[in-house]
Amino acid sequence: MTVLPVLYWPDPRLSQVSTRASVDDGTLTLARDMLDTMYAAQGRGLAAPQVAHLTRLFVMDATWKTGPHTPEIFINPEIIWRSDETATGPEGCLSIPGPITDVTRASAIILRWTTPEGAIAAQKLTGFRAICAQHEIDHLDGILTLDHLSPEARATAEAQVRP
Ligand code: ZN
């Protein structure tokens, strides 16, 4: 088990756009270490830039806090469809400890990605998984929850960040 150091806002690496991941042993080891890191930090999603790897990869486990562990690894994820319907809900971020901010996102998406076995997968995500996937893909594009807020809401959230 390897727990990696998490980058915290305002680390400039969190605002960079990540490049495509290769499907190889290095990426798979990183993904497993990211899952260890996510569980250790009590999170349900983690993107590679949050552990200083600017590569298009995220991990998620939507159920482990209330039920069984369902670890998922998404390599080079792309959103290929977004619902017109949106949902606004509170989001935290392991890289921004403290504030919980309301973010509006599509309530359903179709995600396409490469699996750890190297296959192309596509699936419609709804509920928490849809919101979490959009949050993590934002990280791959250098976008944080703070970037979704009005200037006033952002100032309030920034003041709540724990040092
Ligand atoms: Zn985050």
Side-chain angles (χ1 to χ4, degrees):
M1 167 154 168
T2 304
V3 174
L4 303 168
V6 173
L7 299 184
Y8 296 108
W9 177 86
D11 190 303
R13 286 170 286 184
L14 292 170
S15 298
Q16 291 181 29
V17 177
S18 292
T19 55
R20 279 184 74 78
S22 49
V23 184
D24 57 19
D25 287 348
T27 295
L28 298 185
T29 299
L30 173 60
R32 281 190 287 270
D33 291 348
M34 285 169 56
L35 282 164
D36 290 343
T37 304
M38 181 190 78
Y39 290 128
Q42 303 293 308
R44 291 188 287 181
L46 187 72
Q50 295 180 273
V51 289
H53 288 266
L54 295 174
T55 185
R56 302 191 78 82
L57 164 70
F58 76 89
V59 298
M60 175 165 74
D61 187 334
T63 60
W64 78 279
K65 289 204 162 183
T66 52
H69 279 54
T70 53
E72 298 184 278
I73 295 169
F74 300 89
I75 301 166
N76 297 319
E78 288 177 85
I79 296 170
I80 58 174
W81 174 84
R82 285 179 164 82
S83 64
D84 290 334
E85 186 191 342
T86 60
T88 302
E91 294 183 25
C93 180
L94 295 177
S95 292
I96 313 173
I100 303 292
T101 53
D102 275 338
V103 179
T104 299
R105 301 190 186 274
S107 53
I109 60 171
I110 294 176
L111 190 67
R112 183 169 61 200
W113 72 96
T114 302
T115 71
E117 294 75 30
I120 302 296
Q123 190 180 73
K124 185 175 183 180
L125 306 189
T126 59
F128 174 80
R129 290 173 79 236
I131 301 301
C132 184
Q134 289 172 85
H135 176 118
E136 303 310 335
I137 289 171
D138 267 1
H139 276 299
L140 305 184
D141 292 322
I143 298 167
L144 301 172
T145 53
L146 298 174
D147 298 320
H148 287 274
L149 304 179
S150 68
E152 298 77 19
R154 183 181 179 117
T156 302
E158 287 187 6
Q160 293 170 340
V161 176
R162 287 197 303 269

